[in-house]
Amino acid sequence: MDKSEIRKIYKQRRKNVENRAAKERAISEKLLKEIKNVKSVFIYESIGGEVGTASMIESISRFAEVCVPEVCGKDMKLLCKKGGYADKPCDVTVVPLIAFDTDLNRIGFGGGYYDRYLSRNTTRAIGIAFDEQQCDGIEPEPTDIALDMIITPTRVLEK
């Protein structure tokens, strides 16, 4: 399967996840445990069928600076929830994804925003996903950046 086919199939799988609220709570608990000692987190604001991040952002903001992406051309700026833009990468970047494999490769939306960001910045890249999004046989391209960790409701995959 090519990436466009994977995107189509796994967007639908992600959209149809059952027991979503319970699974999102489990992901959130695992993520918060992993990042409890960091000072800054760059996290996406969820849309569509993505793992919901609103409650995560609220929880993280109690102990760390939270930044969200603002797309500017082909790049992203880190917009701080407290105002202004971050002048350096955050300690952790929470990355959205459509599909992943056990080698920590991901398929995103195809714009390359996170791959470009991760290739230029030192940050711990953590993907959050439902188990239903696991896809064996992802063929990474030279510009694809593997994640440091992927958190699902049932497991934490690491390098």
Side-chain angles (χ1 to χ4, degrees), residues 127-140:
I128 55 176
F130 300 107
D131 292 292
E132 292 86 345
Q133 292 174 256
Q134 182 174 331
C135 174
D136 297 326
I138 293 176
E139 296 288 334

Side-chain angles (χ1 to χ4, degrees), residues 1-153:
M1 260 189 300
D2 70 10
K3 285 186 177 184
S4 64
E5 290 175 282
I6 291 171
R7 283 187 185 97
K8 183 177 179 183
I9 291 166
Y10 284 85
K11 273 185 183 179
Q12 193 62 39
R13 282 190 186 182
R14 187 180 67 182
K15 181 180 172 186
N16 294 329
V17 166
E18 294 182 3
N19 303 316
R20 178 177 290 272
K23 290 176 179 179
E24 286 178 341
R25 276 192 304 278
I27 292 167
S28 181
E29 288 169 9
K30 286 178 174 60
L31 176 65
L32 292 171
K33 182 179 175 188
E34 288 294 331
I35 67 171
K36 64 185 175 196
N37 296 318
V38 303
K39 293 184 172 119
S40 59
V41 178
F42 178 33
I43 183 169
Y44 69 94
E45 293 177 296
S46 54
I47 56 171
E50 293 175 331
V51 172
T53 58
S55 65
M56 292 179 208
I57 289 170
E58 184 179 321
S59 295
I60 294 165
S61 67
R62 293 185 190 124
F63 63 86
E65 175 80 30
V66 174
C67 297
V68 296
E70 181 177 285
V71 174
C72 299
K74 290 192 172 210
D75 292 312
M76 295 185 296
K77 288 185 179 180
L78 281 64
L79 179 61
C80 301
K81 286 298 224 176
K82 291 182 180 176
Y85 293 97
D87 57 358
K88 63 181 181 176
C90 291
D91 300 323
V92 169
T93 299
V94 179
V95 182
L97 53 91
I98 293 172
F100 69 92
D101 66 17
T102 56
D103 291 327
L104 305 180
N105 295 306
R106 68 181 270 278
I107 291 182
F109 287 91
Y113 293 98
Y114 281 90
D115 290 319
R116 282 190 296 280
Y117 177 80
L118 294 173
S119 72
R120 293 191 305 252
N121 294 285
T122 302
T123 180
R124 185 174 177 211
I126 301 176
I128 55 176
F130 300 107
D131 292 292
E132 292 86 345
Q133 292 174 256
Q134 182 174 331
C135 174
D136 297 326
I138 293 176
E139 296 288 334
E141 295 173 15
T143 55
D144 292 341
I145 305 296
L147 302 173
D148 297 307
M149 175 182 285
I150 296 175
I151 297 173
T152 77

